Amino acid sequence: MNSNNGTNKFESIWTKRFIGAAIIQGAIIVGLTAFLVLSQISILKPEVSRVIAAGGAGTWLTLGYVMYLVVGVIGMAVSALFYCYIEKVMGRLYSRHTIAKIMA
């Protein structure tokens, strides 16, 4: 059994930053989705469903929405996993290297 009662004091600052960014991006996409769904009912004319069904601009709206989900939210979370792996598993801290901090 692997119990960790506070013995591991190592904290990855870049993992925290990217997880925070993923949470913020997730909140933004939830707000955007709520706006699109609720405005479908009353505010937006023409409705979002008609724009998507018509093609053209709706296709680009759908593509942009899906790409924002993939790159903005999932990409940030996966980047946090990369930093966690590099810093915790490989033991290479980014706080020691100035060039790595700039590129991150």
Side-chain angles (χ1 to χ4, degrees), residues 15 18-19 74-87:
T15 302
F18 277 93
I19 288 292
I74 298 171
M76 284 292 156
V78 170
S79 295
L81 290 176
F82 288 147
Y83 280 104
C84 182
Y85 180 79
I86 289 170
E87 292 182 342

Side-chain angles (χ1 to χ4, degrees), residues 12-94:
S12 174
I13 194 157
W14 286 104
T15 302
K16 285 183 180 182
R17 289 178 183 173
F18 277 93
I19 288 292
I23 291 170
I24 291 169
Q25 296 290 333
I28 290 171
I29 199 71
V30 165
L32 178 66
T33 302
F35 172 73
L36 290 176
V37 169
L38 294 176
S39 64
Q40 171 75 27
I41 299 170
S42 62
I43 300 171
L44 289 179
K45 299 294 181 201
E47 292 83 8
V48 176
S49 61
R50 291 180 188 240
V51 173
I52 292 172
T59 303
W60 288 108
L61 174 74
T62 305
L63 179 69
Y65 183 82
V66 170
M67 290 306 294
Y68 183 73
L69 268 173
V70 170
V71 175
V73 181
I74 298 171
M76 284 292 156
V78 170
S79 295
L81 290 176
F82 288 147
Y83 280 104
C84 182
Y85 180 79
I86 289 170
E87 292 182 342
K88 287 188 177 183
V89 176
M90 294 178 67
R92 297 183 180 195
L93 300 178
Y94 272 82

